[in-house]
């Protein structure tokens, strides 16, 4: 099971800053931020499943464009898996014929380009031999993280966007064989109040959160705000030095047995 970082920035700007998207093998995306738009047409057409953490634009904006670009090249619908509230938001605010066509009814209601499949927190979705468990998160809108588990049982955990969330750590601690944890730190400490209001993490909050992690695990930081990424990582490495966190980087790959 190969997980590739297509985008991991908290915003856009030039070739290195792309918003959140992870590619799992060649047929699954976890989030579809601007990073997913870098895939070639051929690679986009191979995506059969998109798992969304939440409906914020930086995590979904490539999805409508991908469907439009490769829908006609595919022989089956692409399935979007997400919490019911996320699906509702996409139907109401994106695929509504105002912002974008409703590809869950195009080219026909019987054979559309897009199918929605609701997920509940704690549910494990099996796609082939790979398993995806929706983990609790606490964000400004309904959101989840994912535990992605390989056929042999190795797991990569992705927090999605979240503020402090004890239930997330309870769920992570129950996962066997976590080989890496990708967690957001969207703001530097100076923007602590903004992090609280927007339900994101700043480095001091991250350090408090990591104290709830029971098993030593390599930590990778995502969703750093453009312009403050260097400062935020310095603060992360100071506040959470025991965990030696590293910044997630575009193109980085995780290979799970
Ligand atoms: Zn968000
Ligand atoms: Zn975000």
């Amino acid at each position: 099971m190969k997980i590739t970082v297509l985008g991991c920035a908290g915003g856009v700007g030039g070739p290195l800053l792309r918003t959140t998207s992870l590619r799992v093998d060649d047929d699954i995306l976890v989030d579809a931020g601007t990073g997913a738009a870098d895939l070639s047409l051929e690679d986009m057409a191979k995506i059969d499943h998109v798992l969304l953490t939440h409906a914020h634009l930086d995590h979904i904006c490539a999805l409508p464009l991908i469907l439009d670009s490769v829908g006609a090249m595919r022989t089956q619908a692409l399935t979007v898996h997400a919490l019911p509230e996320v699906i509702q938001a996409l139907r109401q605010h994106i695929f509504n014929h105002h912002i974008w066509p409703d590809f869950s009814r195009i080219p026909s209601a019987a054979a559309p380009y897009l199918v929605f499949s609701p997920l509940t927190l704690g549910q494990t979705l099996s796609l082939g031999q790979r398993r995806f468990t929706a983990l609790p998160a606490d964000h400004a809108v309904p959101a989840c993280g994912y535990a992605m588990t390989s056929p042999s049982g190795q797991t990569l955990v992705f927090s999605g966007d979240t503020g402090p969330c004890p239930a997330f750590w309870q769920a992570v601690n129950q996962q066997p064989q976590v080989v890496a944890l990708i967690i957001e730190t969207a703001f530097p400490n100076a923007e602590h109040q903004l992090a609280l209001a927007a339900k994101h993490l700043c480095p001091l909050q991250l350090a408090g959160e990591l104290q709830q992690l029971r098993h030593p695990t390599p930590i990778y930081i995502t969703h750093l705000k453009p312009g403050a990424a260097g400062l935020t990582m310095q603060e992360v490495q100071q506040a959470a030095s025991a965990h030696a966190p590293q910044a997630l980087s575009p193109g980085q790959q995780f290979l799970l047995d």
Side-chain angles (χ1 to χ4, degrees):
M1 184 176 180
K2 182 167 81 177
I3 297 164
T4 308
V5 178
L6 302 179
C8 57
V12 295
L16 290 178
L17 297 179
R18 300 277 194 266
T19 70
T20 308
S21 187
L22 304 173
R23 184 193 192 198
V24 182
D25 298 326
D26 59 3
D27 58 336
I28 299 169
L29 293 180
V30 175
D31 280 343
T34 66
D38 284 346
L39 291 173
S40 67
L41 263 188
E42 188 187 12
D43 284 344
M44 277 183 198
K46 292 177 185 163
I47 302 295
D48 291 328
H49 301 273
V50 177
L51 285 73
L52 296 175
T53 59
H54 65 301
H56 274 159
L57 196 63
D58 54 326
H59 299 252
I60 62 126
C61 62
L63 175 63
L65 300 169
I66 288 174
L67 288 164
D68 191 34
S69 296
V70 301
M73 297 164 63
R74 293 173 45 79
T75 55
Q76 63 180 81
L78 180 155
T79 304
V80 168
H81 307 266
L83 299 175
E85 299 91 331
V86 175
I87 293 172
Q88 175 60 23
L90 291 177
R91 284 190 183 282
Q92 192 174 347
H93 300 297
I94 302 288
F95 298 103
N96 59 8
H97 293 299
H98 294 283
I99 298 296
W100 208 243
D102 179 4
F103 282 118
S104 69
R105 295 179 176 279
I106 293 174
S108 70
Y113 289 167
L114 165 66
V115 166
F116 289 109
S117 180
L119 267 178
T120 51
L121 286 180
Q123 181 184 341
T124 298
L125 172 71
S126 292
L127 297 174
Q129 290 191 297
R130 302 149 301 177
R131 285 167 287 152
F132 297 83
T133 304
L135 306 176
D138 187 9
H139 193 39
V141 293
C144 67
Y146 288 104
M148 310 173 212
T149 304
S150 71
S152 79
Q154 291 192 330
T155 294
L156 177 76
V157 169
F158 173 47
S159 70
D161 286 8
T162 189
C165 185
F168 171 76
W169 297 104
Q170 282 172 18
V172 170
N173 288 329
Q174 285 167 13
Q175 297 290 324
Q177 283 196 72
V178 178
V179 296
L181 170 62
I182 298 173
I183 186 164
E184 74 128 283
T185 307
F187 294 110
N189 286 327
E191 294 187 60
H192 174 73
Q193 288 303 326
L194 186 54
L196 278 178
K199 294 199 171 186
H200 280 292
L201 294 173
C202 70
L204 287 172
Q205 289 172 315
L206 173 76
E209 291 300 287
L210 289 174
Q211 286 178 2
Q212 297 164 71
L213 179 64
R214 274 203 221 116
H215 310 288
T217 306
I219 306 292
Y220 295 91
I221 305 299
T222 187
H223 215 296
L224 295 161
K225 187 179 182 177
L231 169 66
T232 308
M233 274 312 297
Q234 274 180 15
E235 293 177 345
V236 162
Q237 279 155 355
Q238 249 173 10
S241 57
H243 297 272
Q246 298 175 52
L248 191 68
S249 45
Q252 191 168 349
Q253 291 193 331
F254 297 87
L255 292 170
L256 277 57
D257 288 339

